[in-house]
Every structure is written in structure tokens, then in C-alpha cells.
Amino acid sequence: MYGLLLLLHILGATVWTGGHLVLALTVLPRVIRERSPSELLRFEEGFEKIGMPALLIQIITGPILAYRLLPNPVHWIDPGNPVARVLMLKLGLLALTAAFAVHARFRVIPRLSEHNLRVMAWHIIPVTLFAVLFVVVGVSFRTGWFY
Ligand code: HEM
């Protein structure tokens, strides 16, 4: 069971983080250069179909994996516990990702035009950075980088 959960978690990570890296490093620069909000919307529309289920998988499998490391969720917010500190980093990244994603989805995307593409970029870049940090923090459960 643990192997399956970890596999799903890593698959979700590849889709979420990989998709955002493609968006930030290849699609976004072209969209800004060509002032083409429609191209960005086309990518978002396609990515949403696999990106959102991938994030949902992370939100479901993450806490189950955490439960295996620290069976009492009360200890997840104990700053004296090194595993909990890493978990709190994950939960903090999740809160930041949700805040940026909700703001982009409901406030920026509905009014997207060639005039506010940079506002959208200032959502895509941080969310991509958080996505990479999710992976770094995830790997640190094993390596102890943040303990
Ligand atoms: C998009 C979001 C996320 C990404 C990209 C991500 C990525 C990763 C990666 C790459 C690992 C390393 C797995 C390994 O060492 O083999 C990991 C581990 C882990 N992640 Fe996440 N993660 C995300 C969200 C979450 C969330 C929301 C939680 C919940 C608190 C979470 C909890 C964990 C735990 C507990 C582990 C350690 C699993 C273990 O080694 O037993 N993750 N994550």
C-alpha cells in the first residue's frame, strides 16, 4: 500500500511540477513575446485537465504519507519535531499555491488580455517556484536537508 501511495505521489509531482516548468520556461516567455493571451489560455485549458487531478492526488496522498511518518496529526504542527517542521513547510507551500492559484483563476484569468500578461506571469512564476520547492522539501524527508 505504501509503495502505491508513494508512486501516486511521485506521479502527481511529475505532472504538477513538470507542467509548471514547461509553462514558466517555454510557454510564458513566448506568450509575453508575442503578446498572445489566447495561447496562454489554450495551455491553461489543457493543463487544467491533468494538473488539477495531479494536485488533488498530492493533497490526498500527502497527508496519508505524513500519517505514516507521524501517526498523531497533533504532532504535525510541533515545531520541536524535525519531521513536523518539514511537513509544515509542505503545508505552507500548499497554502501559498492555493492562494496564488485561486487569485489567478478567479481574478486574473477571467480578465486576461495583452495588457495584464505580466500580472499573470507574477502568478505563474511563484507557483512554479513553489512546485519545485515541493519536490525539494519532499526529497528532504529522506535526506534530512531541513532537519
Ligand atoms: C504539488 C505538491 C507536491 C509535490 C510536487 C510533492 C512532491 C514530493 C516528492 C518528490 C517527494 C519525495 C518522495 C520520495 O522521497 O521518494 C515527496 C514526499 C512526501 N510528501 Fe510530497 N509533494 C507535494 C505535496 C504534498 C503535500 C500536500 C503533503 C502533505 C503534507 C506531502 C507530504 C509528503 C510526505 C509525508 C512525503 C514523504 C513520503 C515518504 O518518504 O514516506 N506532499 N513529496
Side-chain angles (χ1 to χ4, degrees):
M1 191 59 187
Y2 169 65
L4 185 65
L5 283 171
L6 196 58
L7 176 66
L8 285 174
H9 200 74
I10 290 175
L11 259 181
T14 58
V15 171
W16 182 256
T17 306
H20 275 89
L21 285 171
V22 172
L23 172 60
L25 298 177
T26 74
V27 178
L28 184 63
R30 192 170 56 239
V31 161
I32 291 190
R33 208 170 41 243
E34 295 172 4
R35 295 171 181 264
S36 168
S38 59
E39 186 170 346
L40 186 59
L41 290 174
R42 206 175 319 127
F43 180 89
E44 290 278 351
E45 201 189 314
F47 182 57
E48 214 175 54
K49 293 193 180 75
I50 59 159
M52 279 307 160
L55 184 60
L56 192 67
I57 285 174
Q58 302 311 91
I59 293 170
I60 294 168
T61 56
I64 304 176
L65 290 167
Y67 185 77
R68 202 183 147 269
L69 294 174
L70 278 182
N72 185 348
V74 172
H75 295 151
W76 293 7
I77 47 166
D78 172 7
N81 185 318
V83 176
R85 285 202 292 273
V86 181
L87 267 177
M88 284 191 286
L89 281 176
K90 281 253 174 178
L91 294 172
L93 285 171
L94 186 61
L96 284 169
T97 300
F100 273 86
V102 166
H103 191 260
R105 179 71 187 77
F106 294 105
R107 301 299 293 268
V108 186
I109 292 179
R111 292 174 213 155
L112 194 68
S113 74
E114 54 184 84
H115 306 294
N116 63 357
L117 280 174
R118 279 179 195 277
V119 178
M120 191 58 196
W122 284 112
H123 285 72
I124 292 170
I125 293 165
V127 171
T128 305
L129 210 64
F130 302 150
V132 173
L133 285 175
F134 261 124
V135 175
V136 175
V137 173
V139 169
S140 84
F141 279 108
R142 279 173 204 265
T143 60
W145 287 332
F146 297 107
Y147 286 175

